[in-house]
Amino acid sequence: RDPAAGNQEQGSGSARPQPPEPSLLRFLVCPLSKKPLRYEEATNELINEELGIAYPIIDGIPNMVPEAARMTHKKPPSEDSEQP
């Protein structure tokens, strides 16, 4: 019974983010652009540089729902002003 209690304590006491399985990362692509994602250890997120969005990883599981992603940067206004 003590080992079971110990396992429960470990699960509830995990303060540091849990990264996804490395073998899984090479298969994951952005659901919007279908392009590979970059894992950012500092924020524990999967980053799509092209779209400027980051998908959170919760308990080692990537949340790939576009509505759950956060914007990492705003699109520069120069993109809109390129056309004369």
Side-chain angles (χ1 to χ4, degrees):
R1 290 187 184 196
D2 289 340
N7 289 341
Q8 289 174 353
E9 288 174 16
Q10 279 182 328
S12 63
S14 60
R16 70 177 186 201
Q18 184 180 355
E21 192 66 36
S23 60
L24 179 68
L25 286 177
R26 65 177 175 223
F27 295 108
L28 294 177
V29 295
C30 178
L32 299 174
S33 70
K34 308 296 188 248
K35 298 205 175 174
L37 297 164
R38 176 179 60 82
Y39 174 62
E40 180 60 52
E41 188 175 359
T43 58
N44 198 40
E45 295 174 318
L46 294 173
I47 310 290
N48 180 324
E49 299 285 349
E50 183 180 314
L51 296 180
I53 56 176
Y55 297 98
I57 299 172
I58 302 161
D59 294 329
I61 302 169
N63 184 345
M64 306 289 284
V65 178
E67 290 80 12
R70 72 172 179 87
M71 298 300 291
T72 58
H73 57 76
K74 294 181 180 177
K75 288 185 179 181
S78 62
E79 288 184 8
D80 296 331
S81 61
E82 283 181 12
Q83 296 177 348

